[in-house]
């Protein structure tokens, strides 16, 4: 999970599938290791945990039969999700359009079926989140210019 609209589509799909299969759902948000000071990292992780809990809370209410756990991991997304896949019936990820580097990496690393959930047909592609744009510009997420 990353809080994006594509993530929301993936969560909806995953909850429905978990309900049909009487399985539990483990929602994972992987944050790359950052160059921030220790205090900033702890604040960021706490914020990610809060956002993740909010993202799955509504689904847990609509599907009380599905036990949902939420976890924020740190590290490389492909590595962490690959490790997570060892204990999973399936790994569900959203995508913005074409397969990105995370999905391509998971095609080689996942140890369970990998399900990619695109946005519905005709939906506008979401704008990229600020952290991704900062990484593309060569800055660590959360850094400021100047």
């Amino acid at each position: 999970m990353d809080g994006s609209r594509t993530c929301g589509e993936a969560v909806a799909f995953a909850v429905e599938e978990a309900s049909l299969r009487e399985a539990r759902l483990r929602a994972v948000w992987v944050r790359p290791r950052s160059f921030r000071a220790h205090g900033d990292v702890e604040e960021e992780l706490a914020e990610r945990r809060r956002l993740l809990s909010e993202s799955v809370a509504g689904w847990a209410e609509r599907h009380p039969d599905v036990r949902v756990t939420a976890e924020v991991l740190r590290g490389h997304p492909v590595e962490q999700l690959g490790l997570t896949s060892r204990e999973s019936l399936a790994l569900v990820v959203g995508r913005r359009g074409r397969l990105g580097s995370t999905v391509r990496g998971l095609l080689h690393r996942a140890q369970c079926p990998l399900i990619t959930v695109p946005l519905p047909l005709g939906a506008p592609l979401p704008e990229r989140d600020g952290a991704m744009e900062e990484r593309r510009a060569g800055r660590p997420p959360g850094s400021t210019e100047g």
Side-chain angles (χ1 to χ4, degrees):
M1 298 191 63
D2 64 4
S4 68
R5 182 164 170 223
T6 55
C7 167
E9 296 291 332
V11 171
F13 179 87
V15 170
E16 294 290 334
E17 292 299 311
S19 181
L20 289 172
R21 288 164 176 68
E22 299 178 357
R24 68 182 178 91
L25 179 63
R26 181 179 176 199
V28 177
W29 191 328
V30 181
R31 292 296 301 156
R33 297 198 186 281
S34 69
F35 300 102
R36 297 179 184 193
H38 180 69
D40 291 342
V41 171
E42 293 306 317
E43 284 180 24
E44 179 185 353
L45 287 174
E47 177 66 8
R48 298 297 175 208
R49 286 184 191 105
R50 185 187 66 75
L51 291 170
L52 180 57
S53 293
E54 287 177 5
S55 296
V56 297
W59 290 107
E61 292 169 9
R62 283 178 263 196
H63 291 276
D65 57 317
V66 178
R67 193 176 104 215
V68 180
T69 59
E71 185 176 358
V72 176
L73 303 175
R74 288 183 59 208
H76 191 279
V78 173
E79 288 177 21
Q80 292 300 317
L81 292 172
L83 291 171
T84 299
S85 74
R86 292 179 181 176
E87 305 165 355
S88 303
L89 296 174
L91 192 61
V92 179
V93 295
R95 62 182 171 90
R96 290 182 170 94
R98 296 183 178 167
L99 298 183
S101 60
T102 299
V103 172
R104 279 185 269 132
L106 288 171
L107 287 171
H108 299 286
R109 290 249 178 137
Q111 297 182 26
C112 65
L114 175 65
I115 302 168
T116 63
V117 179
L119 285 173
L121 287 176
L125 291 177
E127 292 183 30
R128 301 221 182 258
D129 70 285
M132 180 172 286
E133 292 305 317
E134 289 174 358
R135 283 193 296 277
R136 288 182 187 274
R139 296 186 311 267
S143 66
T144 57
E145 292 186 55

